[in-house]
Amino acid sequence: MKLVLAFLACFFTLTISQPKANKIDAQVQALLKKMTLEEKIGQMTQVDYTAITNHYDDIVTYSLGSILWGGSSEIPDITAKGWAATYDMLQSFSQKTKLKVPLIFGVDAVHGHNNVDGAVIFPHNVALGATRSPQIVERIGGITAAEMRATGIQWDFAPCVAVSRNERWGRTYESFGEDPELVKQLGAAFVKGMQGTDLSNPASALACVKHFLGDGGTTNGKDQGNTEVDEATLRAVHLPGYVEAIKAGAMSMMPSYSSWNGVKMHGNKYLLTDVLKKELGFNGFLVSDWAAIDQLDTNYRSAIEKSVNAGLDMAMIPNGHGQKNSYIDFITMLKDLVKKKKVPMSRIDDAVKRILTVKLSMNLAGNLYANKELLIQVGSPEHRNVAREAVRQSLVLLKNNNILPLSKTGIKIHVAGKWADSIGAQCGGWTIGWQGISGNAISGGTTIMQAIKNTAGKGTKIGYSVDGSGADSSDIGIVVAAEQPYAEMVGDRTDLSLSNDDQAVINTMKAKGIPVVVILLSGRPMIINSSLEKADAFVAAWLPGTEGQGVADVLFGDFNFTGKLPHSWPKNMQQVPINIGDKVYDPLFPYGFGLTYKEQAK
Ligand code: GLC
């Protein structure tokens, strides 16, 4: 009986979705017939908010297809209400165009709706990799989509399915880890959570899988560098995340700034069109990275020709009036390229068909403005509890001389380190600003320091100092060490040692003769040997986001450690890159390592 029911369910699903697909296709064809070349090219143009400010009428003049907020393109009022109001104002211009095709708005909500003050900020992907949980990642995708749609924004430049193979790379924390299998599972889970089962659901959002292809495999981990591998390796290591994302229904993707054997991805027709669109059957659309087509040629017109002919469908353009390589230049030059038959009309029609198919599948016109009723859920306790659960599951216990879990009562704890009370350090890059924030410049979160105070019980005293002074006669010292927030190439490092300040605090605390717990906030494994020797317990907490309470939940034993390393942990920089499967493999801690309290009981 179950088999029959399953068959019927599948049959009805297929038949219902088939007519819907046919209906959308007919609508797309009808729209295309009505569109001028200018209107078609307008749909292929995505403009950053900072470039359109004071020129909102250009949305009508050029029938623009999309607006984004890049990492640092903030608006004056960054509350959820402020974002919703700005979104509504901009969307209203699309309704003054002849065809009233809605704008689709894109944002980097890469660990929650991270441009919004008061949103819940989830752990970055490296931490989610340590959870090994597609379930929690899917829930995070769904919550992120809901908080985005509360502000109107329908499109997320996430998930990043980079397979980070060299931790020198400043974007290691945006990757789920070094293993293609783990990355493909969690990337697909995020797509499913974000897009749901029906793209027209007003609480779902469009995912954008990035950055195609091989962004995490560049030589020396150089951001936007060159991935020098043969095709078999490129496919085996870096492609699975995209294949799985297509199966999960991904309908937009972003090429990488990086190159494959010297050829820039944004101009690589073989990979963008022959492999991704034809061989793998990707029928969504490709949006460029930020001004990425400019890197193809010093002559902007040639750059446009190369990228659009390679298979790019929409250009992300940060420059406006009076600037070089502006969105007006893009529109004018692409129109001329078509007129001169340098770019075939069929390529334009294919790109616009892909874009319109997504917009109609999402029923953007039916959910044109922000749903104000959803605002109440932004940063809600329910959402924060999911983030707190993700934090707990992401923590990796590297060492424990039986001093964890901590007693809640009757002990004297001394906390040290300048990052112990910093939401900014917990969140890392892509938080309010592109490069992150310092201090507690985002409301609603809990720092690790606050979490320890929240959890401590009767008779427990908690001291604090930046440098560890005053820790004498404490029963336990806790040092929070951290990388300062960074994003993209700003985070590229040749040396991953802990900062001298953090090492000094650990030494000071150790010299007090008390047990020392080190909690490391970082976007990647770091070189920790000497600090590890001095520590009696060492926890890799990654970049946990706003819900620091999850750290205390495990430190004090309300929950056990379950996290497993998503990266091999190197002994020294000479070992990097070091990845599971290497012929010579002798890390400090292997991929998948993680202790639990049970193991400590022995
Ligand atoms: C950035 C990043 C990309 C992001 C885009 C828009 O440079 O490479 O991941 O989605 O620009 O902010």
Side-chain angles (χ1 to χ4, degrees):
M1 185 55 183
K2 272 191 183 165
L3 206 59
V4 170
L5 287 176
F7 170 75
L8 287 173
C10 181
F11 176 77
F12 280 115
T13 309
L14 283 176
T15 51
I16 291 168
S17 57
Q18 202 49 50
K20 189 174 173 185
N22 294 342
K23 181 167 171 275
I24 285 171
D25 196 43
Q27 288 173 320
V28 170
Q29 294 306 330
L31 253 178
L32 275 174
K33 284 199 179 79
K34 293 177 192 163
M35 293 173 90
T36 63
L37 174 59
E38 291 79 0
E39 286 166 333
K40 291 177 181 177
I41 292 174
Q43 285 300 309
M44 296 170 67
T45 310
Q46 178 184 60
V47 178
D48 185 64
Y49 173 73
T50 55
I52 200 85
T53 313
N54 305 322
H55 298 283
Y56 297 141
D57 287 328
D58 281 359
I59 296 168
V60 186
T61 309
Y62 298 104
S63 307
L64 296 179
S66 177
I67 287 174
L68 84 140
W69 282 276
S72 287
S73 307
E74 283 160 33
I75 58 173
D77 174 358
I78 59 168
T79 63
K81 213 167 154 210
W83 279 99
T86 303
Y87 165 93
D88 284 354
M89 177 274 291
L90 292 165
Q91 186 67 280
S92 68
F93 283 87
S94 71
Q95 300 310 295
K96 296 173 185 168
T97 62
K98 182 186 82 183
L99 296 169
K100 300 186 188 319
V101 177
L103 285 160
I104 187 165
F105 291 75
V107 70
D108 294 277
V110 294
H111 58 148
H113 197 1
N114 41 245
N115 291 326
V116 176
D117 183 31
V120 58
I121 306 298
F122 291 97
H124 267 297
N125 285 353
V126 67
L128 300 183
T131 71
R132 298 296 198 277
S133 169
Q135 293 75 20
I136 198 95
V137 171
E138 186 167 342
R139 289 165 70 193
I140 289 170
I143 290 170
T144 304
E147 296 208 359
M148 284 168 59
R149 295 305 295 266
T151 62
I153 298 171
Q154 321 101 326
W155 185 19
D156 190 4
F157 303 129
C160 174
V161 294
V163 180
S164 176
R165 305 288 285 178
N166 189 318
E167 290 80 16
R168 292 182 177 85
W169 189 35
R171 307 194 74 166
T172 295
Y173 68 78
E174 295 184 62
S175 160
F176 292 110
E178 69 186 38
D179 174 25
E181 189 57 32
L182 176 65
V183 168
K184 89 175 192 181
Q185 276 178 23
L186 300 187
F190 187 89
V191 170
K192 285 176 191 156
M194 171 127 301
Q195 296 191 168
T197 52
D198 176 2
L199 263 181
S200 65
N201 180 335
S204 294
L206 179 68
C208 181
V209 191
K210 69 186 187 181
H211 311 78
F212 188 85
L213 181 63
D215 51 346
T218 60
T219 304
N220 298 323
K222 183 176 177 341
D223 189 43
Q224 305 188 15
N226 190 18
T227 299
E228 298 172 279
V229 294
D230 61 25
E231 183 165 351
T233 305
L234 185 75
R235 284 175 174 262
V237 175
H238 301 286
L239 200 58
Y242 295 90
V243 174
E244 209 63 22
I246 291 169
K247 285 183 199 161
M251 289 302 281
S252 85
M253 292 191 179
M254 185 185 294
S256 176
Y257 282 114
S258 58
S259 304
W260 175 45
N261 294 336
V263 179
K264 277 275 177 190
M265 279 308 307
H266 276 76
N268 192 318
K269 182 170 184 183
Y270 169 65
L271 289 174
L272 295 181
T273 297
D274 301 342
V275 173
L276 183 58
K277 291 182 174 179
K278 290 182 178 166
E279 179 190 327
L280 298 179
F282 173 62
N283 53 21
F285 69 90
L286 291 176
V287 60
S288 81
D289 205 331
W290 179 272
I293 63 174
D294 306 30
Q295 295 182 1
L296 296 184
D297 199 304
T298 49
N299 177 305
Y300 193 45
R301 178 203 203 77
S302 304
I304 296 166
E305 180 183 352
K306 284 174 188 168
S307 200
V308 173
N309 282 337
L312 187 78
D313 302 304
M314 184 185 281
M316 182 188 292
I317 304 168
N319 304 323
H321 288 261
Q323 292 178 297
K324 191 169 172 295
N325 301 355
S326 71
Y327 60 88
I328 298 105
D329 294 332
F330 175 79
I331 292 163
T332 313
M333 290 176 182
L334 181 51
K335 186 176 156 190
D336 191 48
L337 285 162
V338 174
K339 294 278 184 204
K340 291 194 169 65
K341 302 200 182 319
K342 296 281 190 185
V343 171
M345 192 66 211
S346 57
R347 178 72 274 277
I348 300 294
D349 284 339
D350 174 53
V352 179
K353 178 176 184 292
R354 289 168 179 269
I355 293 165
L356 293 177
T357 299
V358 171
K359 288 187 169 185
L360 285 161
S361 302
M362 294 182 76
N363 187 26
L364 297 187
N367 299 290
L368 208 49
Y369 297 106
N371 180 345
K372 308 291 188 293
E373 285 153 32
L374 298 177
L375 284 172
I376 185 78
Q377 67 178 324
V378 176
S380 67
E382 297 74 24
H383 290 179
R384 292 188 188 279
N385 282 336
V386 175
R388 180 174 168 177
E389 182 183 343
V391 172
R392 290 195 292 261
Q393 293 183 21
S394 70
L395 304 175
V396 180
L397 182 59
L398 298 178
K399 179 179 181 182
N400 185 19
N401 293 340
N402 265 329
I403 57 165
L404 293 180
L406 302 177
S407 162
K408 290 182 183 179
T409 56
I411 61 167
K412 196 176 171 201
I413 300 173
H414 191 89
V415 180
K418 59 183 160 184
W419 309 107
D421 204 23
S422 166
I423 292 286
Q426 288 172 207
C427 291
W430 296 104
T431 308
I432 302 298
W434 179 43
Q435 295 298 318
I437 49 170
S438 57
N440 296 334
I442 183 169
S443 41
T446 305
T447 65
I448 291 170
M449 182 70 191
Q450 290 161 345
I452 292 168
K453 287 178 179 171
N454 295 341
T455 313
K458 194 170 176 325
T460 288
K461 289 184 176 51
I462 298 167
Y464 173 73
S465 60
V466 172
D467 61 1
S469 57
D472 313 79
S473 76
S474 297
D475 299 304
I476 198 100
I478 299 177
V479 179
V480 178
E483 283 194 292
Q484 293 189 54
Y486 53 81
E488 300 192 53
M489 68 294 288
V490 178
D492 282 5
R493 294 278 183 282
T494 53
D495 179 5
L496 292 172
S497 304
L498 290 189
S499 72
N500 293 333
D501 286 355
D502 285 341
Q503 292 189 55
V505 178
I506 294 165
N507 296 342
T508 303
M509 291 285 261
K510 193 62 196 169
K512 305 288 182 193
I514 59 175
V516 178
V517 178
V518 177
I519 298 170
L520 176 60
L521 298 176
S522 68
R524 50 197 156 185
M526 297 186 76
I527 306 304
I528 59 171
N529 305 36
S530 61
S531 300
L532 185 69
E533 276 162 33
K534 293 186 178 68
D536 297 280
F538 202 108
V539 177
W542 315 110
L543 296 171
T546 49
E547 305 315 304
Q549 192 63 48
V551 175
D553 289 346
V554 180
L555 277 191
F556 288 90
D558 289 339
F559 291 84
N560 200 344
F561 283 96
T562 57
K564 303 294 174 204
L565 288 180
H567 283 280
S568 309
W569 199 291
K571 287 176 175 163
N572 51 54
M573 288 310 293
Q574 291 64 43
Q575 284 193 331
V576 182
I578 179 168
N579 296 292
I580 184 154
D582 287 354
K583 285 194 184 65
V584 176
Y585 187 72
D586 177 29
L588 183 62
F589 297 105
Y591 176 84
F593 181 86
L595 299 174
T596 67
Y597 287 141
K598 171 163 84 292
E599 279 150 359
Q600 290 307 308
K602 285 175 206 154

